[in-house]
Amino acid sequence: MVDGWRSDAFYEARRDELEKRVGPRRFKHSLGVSETAEKLARVYGADETAARVAGLLHDWDKGYDDPGILARADELGMELDAELAAMPRVLHGLTAAVALGRAFPELPPEVLAAVERHTLGDAGMSDLDMIVYIADALEPGRKGKVVEKLREKIGEIELRELFLEVYAYWVQLIMERRHPIYSKTTEIWDSYMPEQEVYRAEANPDPIPYGRP
Ligand SMILES: [Fe+2]
Ligand SMILES: [Fe+2]
């Protein structure tokens, strides 16, 4: 029998809580992300349970409206810079990671990191981070030609390559929808480019390897 956060009992209890925290559409999306993340973990050799749990929990705080999520960040004692404070839509990943870590201390840091990074992405994302990020975009409820094409690439291309394709697609979508672009987006993108890898290796004799949690 499996105990703690890996157990079916933990998953089912969080799933039932989530159903009360978000609307039915978001709840269905979360189950889709959980399923897709588990599948991606199987395909790419990552921790399937961690992926399933992180996928389920990634939108834990998505039920708040804009003033609500700002108040939530404040309550959690999070210091937001002016840019993030002006982008309430992306904050739910950050607040969820903090809140879940406090409410369920048994959740490992890698699961919380994947929840935290699912909106903005980051440099040096782990396989699990990338899996949840990709699953958020490609779960069965997401429609469209681009999404379908990307879905077909699961298992056909490397995880990092699939992540970059999904990341590029999201940045484009943000621009098309006339939303603000997070200022660290190019920095994050460049951190995955081989040219920058060489540059960083030269600039820093002890570079941080990619994939570090
Ligand atoms: Fe989200
Ligand atoms: Fe989501």
Side-chain angles (χ1 to χ4, degrees), residues 191-204:
S191 78
Y192 295 96
M193 296 300 108
E195 297 90 330
Q196 294 290 321
E197 208 160 33
V198 171
Y199 163 75
R200 280 155 43 119
E202 280 171 1
N204 182 354

PDB file of all heavy atoms in Angstrom, residues 191-204:
ATOM      1  N   SER A 191      17.841  30.812 -22.680  1.00  0.00           N
ATOM      2  CA  SER A 191      18.551  29.864 -21.814  1.00  0.00           C
ATOM      3  C   SER A 191      18.511  28.448 -22.376  1.00  0.00           C
ATOM      4  O   SER A 191      19.295  27.595 -21.974  1.00  0.00           O
ATOM      5  CB  SER A 191      17.965  29.894 -20.400  1.00  0.00           C
ATOM      6  OG  SER A 191      16.751  29.178 -20.344  1.00  0.00           O
ATOM      7  N   TYR A 192      17.584  28.188 -23.312  1.00  0.00           N
ATOM      8  CA  TYR A 192      17.504  26.860 -23.929  1.00  0.00           C
ATOM      9  C   TYR A 192      18.186  26.796 -25.299  1.00  0.00           C
ATOM     10  O   TYR A 192      18.171  25.763 -25.948  1.00  0.00           O
ATOM     11  CB  TYR A 192      16.030  26.425 -24.059  1.00  0.00           C
ATOM     12  CG  TYR A 192      15.367  26.237 -22.715  1.00  0.00           C
ATOM     13  CD1 TYR A 192      14.619  27.255 -22.144  1.00  0.00           C
ATOM     14  CD2 TYR A 192      15.531  25.058 -21.997  1.00  0.00           C
ATOM     15  CE1 TYR A 192      14.035  27.106 -20.896  1.00  0.00           C
ATOM     16  CE2 TYR A 192      14.955  24.895 -20.756  1.00  0.00           C
ATOM     17  CZ  TYR A 192      14.208  25.924 -20.204  1.00  0.00           C
ATOM     18  OH  TYR A 192      13.645  25.769 -18.959  1.00  0.00           O
ATOM     19  N   MET A 193      18.736  27.930 -25.750  1.00  0.00           N
ATOM     20  CA  MET A 193      19.362  27.961 -27.057  1.00  0.00           C
ATOM     21  C   MET A 193      20.831  27.564 -26.944  1.00  0.00           C
ATOM     22  O   MET A 193      21.534  28.056 -26.075  1.00  0.00           O
ATOM     23  CB  MET A 193      19.258  29.370 -27.669  1.00  0.00           C
ATOM     24  CG  MET A 193      17.811  29.807 -27.939  1.00  0.00           C
ATOM     25  SD  MET A 193      16.949  28.716 -29.088  1.00  0.00           S
ATOM     26  CE  MET A 193      15.801  27.878 -27.975  1.00  0.00           C
ATOM     27  N   PRO A 194      21.297  26.669 -27.837  1.00  0.00           N
ATOM     28  CA  PRO A 194      22.682  26.201 -27.745  1.00  0.00           C
ATOM     29  C   PRO A 194      23.697  27.346 -27.794  1.00  0.00           C
ATOM     30  O   PRO A 194      24.724  27.282 -27.121  1.00  0.00           O
ATOM     31  CB  PRO A 194      22.843  25.294 -28.965  1.00  0.00           C
ATOM     32  CG  PRO A 194      21.485  25.025 -29.466  1.00  0.00           C
ATOM     33  CD  PRO A 194      20.555  26.056 -28.924  1.00  0.00           C
ATOM     34  N   GLU A 195      23.410  28.380 -28.576  1.00  0.00           N
ATOM     35  CA  GLU A 195      24.341  29.508 -28.665  1.00  0.00           C
ATOM     36  C   GLU A 195      24.581  30.099 -27.281  1.00  0.00           C
ATOM     37  O   GLU A 195      25.682  30.469 -26.925  1.00  0.00           O
ATOM     38  CB  GLU A 195      23.783  30.618 -29.559  1.00  0.00           C
ATOM     39  CG  GLU A 195      23.574  30.232 -31.010  1.00  0.00           C
ATOM     40  CD  GLU A 195      22.180  29.674 -31.259  1.00  0.00           C
ATOM     41  OE1 GLU A 195      21.613  29.071 -30.327  1.00  0.00           O
ATOM     42  OE2 GLU A 195      21.682  29.831 -32.386  1.00  0.00           O
ATOM     43  N   GLN A 196      23.501  30.208 -26.537  1.00  0.00           N
ATOM     44  CA  GLN A 196      23.600  30.796 -25.211  1.00  0.00           C
ATOM     45  C   GLN A 196      24.286  29.828 -24.243  1.00  0.00           C
ATOM     46  O   GLN A 196      24.948  30.236 -23.310  1.00  0.00           O
ATOM     47  CB  GLN A 196      22.205  31.151 -24.685  1.00  0.00           C
ATOM     48  CG  GLN A 196      21.545  32.248 -25.474  1.00  0.00           C
ATOM     49  CD  GLN A 196      22.232  33.590 -25.245  1.00  0.00           C
ATOM     50  OE1 GLN A 196      22.637  33.920 -24.148  1.00  0.00           O
ATOM     51  NE2 GLN A 196      22.372  34.361 -26.303  1.00  0.00           N
ATOM     52  N   GLU A 197      24.138  28.541 -24.524  1.00  0.00           N
ATOM     53  CA  GLU A 197      24.775  27.533 -23.690  1.00  0.00           C
ATOM     54  C   GLU A 197      26.296  27.738 -23.754  1.00  0.00           C
ATOM     55  O   GLU A 197      26.975  27.750 -22.735  1.00  0.00           O
ATOM     56  CB  GLU A 197      24.404  26.151 -24.225  1.00  0.00           C
ATOM     57  CG  GLU A 197      24.388  25.064 -23.198  1.00  0.00           C
ATOM     58  CD  GLU A 197      23.548  23.888 -23.690  1.00  0.00           C
ATOM     59  OE1 GLU A 197      23.518  23.631 -24.919  1.00  0.00           O
ATOM     60  OE2 GLU A 197      22.937  23.250 -22.852  1.00  0.00           O
ATOM     61  N   VAL A 198      26.802  27.920 -24.991  1.00  0.00           N
ATOM     62  CA  VAL A 198      28.236  28.137 -25.194  1.00  0.00           C
ATOM     63  C   VAL A 198      28.641  29.438 -24.522  1.00  0.00           C
ATOM     64  O   VAL A 198      29.608  29.500 -23.764  1.00  0.00           O
ATOM     65  CB  VAL A 198      28.565  28.191 -26.714  1.00  0.00           C
ATOM     66  CG1 VAL A 198      29.998  28.639 -26.934  1.00  0.00           C
ATOM     67  CG2 VAL A 198      28.306  26.838 -27.340  1.00  0.00           C
ATOM     68  N   TYR A 199      27.838  30.480 -24.775  1.00  0.00           N
ATOM     69  CA  TYR A 199      28.145  31.777 -24.207  1.00  0.00           C
ATOM     70  C   TYR A 199      28.210  31.686 -22.682  1.00  0.00           C
ATOM     71  O   TYR A 199      29.121  32.185 -22.047  1.00  0.00           O
ATOM     72  CB  TYR A 199      27.084  32.799 -24.641  1.00  0.00           C
ATOM     73  CG  TYR A 199      27.076  34.038 -23.791  1.00  0.00           C
ATOM     74  CD1 TYR A 199      28.086  34.993 -23.938  1.00  0.00           C
ATOM     75  CD2 TYR A 199      26.095  34.237 -22.833  1.00  0.00           C
ATOM     76  CE1 TYR A 199      28.093  36.116 -23.130  1.00  0.00           C
ATOM     77  CE2 TYR A 199      26.099  35.350 -22.033  1.00  0.00           C
ATOM     78  CZ  TYR A 199      27.097  36.290 -22.183  1.00  0.00           C
ATOM     79  OH  TYR A 199      27.100  37.388 -21.379  1.00  0.00           O
ATOM     80  N   ARG A 200      27.224  31.005 -22.126  1.00  0.00           N
ATOM     81  CA  ARG A 200      27.170  30.924 -20.665  1.00  0.00           C
ATOM     82  C   ARG A 200      28.318  30.098 -20.106  1.00  0.00           C
ATOM     83  O   ARG A 200      28.855  30.386 -19.052  1.00  0.00           O
ATOM     84  CB  ARG A 200      25.833  30.336 -20.229  1.00  0.00           C
ATOM     85  CG  ARG A 200      24.724  31.381 -20.260  1.00  0.00           C
ATOM     86  CD  ARG A 200      23.358  30.757 -20.439  1.00  0.00           C
ATOM     87  NE  ARG A 200      23.178  29.586 -19.624  1.00  0.00           N
ATOM     88  CZ  ARG A 200      22.245  29.479 -18.685  1.00  0.00           C
ATOM     89  NH1 ARG A 200      21.438  30.471 -18.433  1.00  0.00           N
ATOM     90  NH2 ARG A 200      22.113  28.359 -18.031  1.00  0.00           N
ATOM     91  N   ALA A 201      28.710  29.055 -20.847  1.00  0.00           N
ATOM     92  CA  ALA A 201      29.821  28.232 -20.390  1.00  0.00           C
ATOM     93  C   ALA A 201      31.103  29.060 -20.343  1.00  0.00           C
ATOM     94  O   ALA A 201      31.925  28.912 -19.440  1.00  0.00           O
ATOM     95  CB  ALA A 201      29.983  27.030 -21.306  1.00  0.00           C
ATOM     96  N   GLU A 202      31.268  29.951 -21.359  1.00  0.00           N
ATOM     97  CA  GLU A 202      32.462  30.802 -21.395  1.00  0.00           C
ATOM     98  C   GLU A 202      32.416  31.847 -20.295  1.00  0.00           C
ATOM     99  O   GLU A 202      33.407  32.146 -19.650  1.00  0.00           O
ATOM    100  CB  GLU A 202      32.556  31.516 -22.755  1.00  0.00           C
ATOM    101  CG  GLU A 202      33.113  30.615 -23.837  1.00  0.00           C
ATOM    102  CD  GLU A 202      32.988  31.248 -25.210  1.00  0.00           C
ATOM    103  OE1 GLU A 202      32.493  32.388 -25.304  1.00  0.00           O
ATOM    104  OE2 GLU A 202      33.375  30.584 -26.180  1.00  0.00           O
ATOM    105  N   ALA A 203      31.221  32.383 -20.109  1.00  0.00           N
ATOM    106  CA  ALA A 203      31.078  33.466 -19.150  1.00  0.00           C
ATOM    107  C   ALA A 203      31.155  32.968 -17.713  1.00  0.00           C
ATOM    108  O   ALA A 203      31.572  33.678 -16.822  1.00  0.00           O
ATOM    109  CB  ALA A 203      29.750  34.185 -19.381  1.00  0.00           C
ATOM    110  N   ASN A 204      30.733  31.736 -17.546  1.00  0.00           N
ATOM    111  CA  ASN A 204      30.664  31.199 -16.188  1.00  0.00           C
ATOM    112  C   ASN A 204      31.409  29.862 -16.147  1.00  0.00           C
ATOM    113  O   ASN A 204      30.979  28.894 -16.757  1.00  0.00           O
ATOM    114  CB  ASN A 204      29.185  31.010 -15.810  1.00  0.00           C
ATOM    115  CG  ASN A 204      29.023  30.492 -14.400  1.00  0.00           C
ATOM    116  OD1 ASN A 204      30.011  30.175 -13.731  1.00  0.00           O
ATOM    117  ND2 ASN A 204      27.805  30.401 -13.955  1.00  0.00           N
TER     118      ASN A 204
END
